[in-house]
Amino acid sequence: MELTNNLAEVNQRINIAAKKASRSVDEITLITVTKTFPTSDIENLYQLGLRDFGENRDQEASKKVTNLPKDIRWHFQGQIQSNKLKSITSWASCIHSVDQLRYAQLISQLIGDAKMPIFIQVSLDKTSKNRAGVEPDELIKMATQVSELPGISMQGLMAVAPLDMAAELAFANLAKIREVFLTSFPTAKSLSIGMSGDYETAIEYGATHIRIGSSILGNRASIA
Ligand SMILES: *Cc1c(COP(=O)(O)O)cnc(C)c1O
């Protein structure tokens, strides 16, 4: 079966990349990004042992979630809209794409007595202003405010390598930003970087959460 083979290949490449970086695979969580793919694919991957899945849109994910096993950990990694957060916090185990303080404040209010694990998304884009992510020079200020919210558990940083930049360069930039970040927030050690095209490089630069779609599921009909 195609999914089985794809997953085996991805796992093998993760193992090799981890070994090369002298890291343990146990510190790397594979999140399979299932946006645009049907629940039948998720069921098959669940049968293969996967429990962490990533989605970008509330409308799509909230429907899928109701028909799938309850022990799946759902990761939200798409662009946040305030009016969707009530729903997102009802199904997501973790939110990777927090890039504004007001979203973190809203999540903290919505989550009640619990704590939502979140990542702060950092922009690595030097040229375009409308990409997601907080600007690196605003990161510490925002993280300080986010870390004080009662309903938030700040896990670390998340980023997407810009299309017009080599992943090596993007992740090396992020590693410098993260080094400074960790002096203020030493427990927020997680790092959510790496997609189908660059996850081996991401592992080299310390990724703890890699988000892989097409290498496991095949090409998407439309980009979510
Ligand atoms: C779609 C998406 C991914 C997975 O992308 P692939 O290239 O298919 O592996 C990872 N992260 C984010 C934020 C995405 O939107």
Side-chain angles (χ1 to χ4, degrees):
M1 203 177 83
E2 201 193 334
L3 285 179
T4 312
N5 294 339
N6 290 349
L7 180 61
E9 190 188 327
V10 166
N11 274 325
Q12 191 185 18
R13 287 170 61 176
I14 291 170
N15 271 291
I16 293 169
K19 208 167 262 163
K20 234 176 105 183
S22 305
R23 299 186 57 205
S24 162
V25 285
D26 298 343
E27 61 189 55
I28 300 162
T29 300
L30 167 63
I31 297 164
T32 305
V33 177
T34 48
K35 63 186 179 201
T36 77
F37 288 98
T39 50
S40 56
D41 282 334
I42 303 173
E43 277 161 4
N44 288 332
L45 291 166
Y46 182 92
Q47 293 302 327
L48 293 171
L50 299 188
R51 294 295 180 269
D52 290 272
F53 296 102
E55 288 281 341
N56 283 45
R57 287 169 189 269
D58 173 64
Q59 209 183 359
E60 177 184 345
S62 56
K63 283 199 200 95
K64 286 176 170 174
V65 162
T66 53
N67 298 314
L68 287 159
K70 296 290 169 250
D71 61 340
I72 287 177
R73 292 176 292 271
W74 293 99
H75 299 256
F76 182 79
Q77 51 168 44
Q79 198 174 0
I80 294 176
Q81 290 170 277
S82 298
N83 63 348
K84 296 284 162 56
L85 275 177
K86 186 168 197 265
S87 174
I88 292 167
T89 53
S90 74
W91 57 263
S93 307
C94 181
I95 300 179
H96 289 244
S97 43
V98 175
D99 62 357
Q100 291 188 37
L101 175 63
R102 64 191 175 103
Y103 296 146
Q105 288 169 329
L106 205 47
I107 294 165
S108 181
Q109 280 167 27
L110 289 163
I111 205 74
D113 291 333
K115 276 183 188 287
M116 175 62 82
I118 67 116
F119 289 76
I120 296 185
Q121 183 169 359
V122 179
S123 170
L124 300 176
D125 221 308
K126 293 246 171 2
T127 47
S128 104
K129 279 268 168 263
N130 53 10
R131 296 287 294 265
V134 62
E135 293 300 322
D137 56 5
E138 289 160 21
L139 172 63
I140 298 296
K141 184 177 164 218
M142 182 182 149
T144 302
Q145 291 168 314
V146 169
S147 68
E148 286 161 1
L149 296 168
I152 296 286
S153 169
M154 191 170 69
Q155 303 295 299
L157 303 180
M158 179 273 207
V160 177
L163 290 173
D164 59 356
M165 195 189 290
E168 284 270 347
L169 184 59
F171 296 155
N173 287 345
L174 181 63
K176 281 186 218 142
I177 295 164
R178 182 172 176 240
E179 210 177 304
V180 177
F181 171 80
L182 284 174
T183 61
S184 298
F185 307 100
T187 59
K189 283 195 187 79
S190 296
L191 181 60
S192 174
I193 52 169
M195 303 168 44
S196 290
D198 56 23
Y199 65 93
E200 288 147 304
T201 308
I203 289 170
E204 188 186 330
Y205 284 95
T208 62
H209 294 70
I210 55 178
R211 311 176 310 267
I212 299 185
S214 49
S215 286
I216 295 173
L217 285 146
N219 289 324
R220 286 180 293 276
S222 64
I223 308 285

